[in-house]
Amino acid sequence: RVAKHLAELFVFVEDPAVPATNNAAERSLRHLVTARKISGGTRSAAGTATKMTLASLFGTWRLHGLDPLAECRALLGQSQV
């Protein structure tokens, strides 16, 4: 596996814009993990999927500098075909 993906392992050496660790990704999930441990999690697989989808949407909107409430309203206001 290492030999197969060797070029991908050292992208951060060639490109200084690529971080050498995934600490930012882990820090972005820490609050979700802590909340899950405190609350005992959701009651169903569907509840977990919904919570993770919403967390992903809200996190992405924040990273892009968008207002999560406005984006939710826009998303809910779209017509379904």
Side-chain angles (χ1 to χ4, degrees), residues 17-80:
V18 176
T21 67
N22 67 345
N23 288 341
E26 290 189 12
R27 279 194 303 272
S28 72
L29 296 175
R30 180 178 286 283
H31 70 283
L32 290 171
V33 173
T34 302
R36 184 189 70 222
K37 287 182 178 183
I38 290 171
S39 70
T42 59
R43 295 180 184 213
S44 68
T48 299
T50 300
K51 184 174 182 170
M52 294 300 104
T53 299
L54 289 172
S56 177
L57 285 171
F58 277 64
T60 301
W61 290 331
R62 283 190 196 102
L63 282 174
H64 288 272
L66 301 171
D67 176 23
L69 181 58
E71 294 303 315
C72 262
R73 286 181 175 151
L75 186 63
L76 291 171
Q78 292 178 354
S79 63
Q80 299 293 321

Side-chain angles (χ1 to χ4, degrees), residues 1-14:
R1 179 164 168 79
V2 171
K4 182 178 178 184
H5 299 284
L6 192 59
E8 297 164 13
L9 289 174
F10 296 104
V11 171
F12 70 95
V13 174
E14 294 176 1

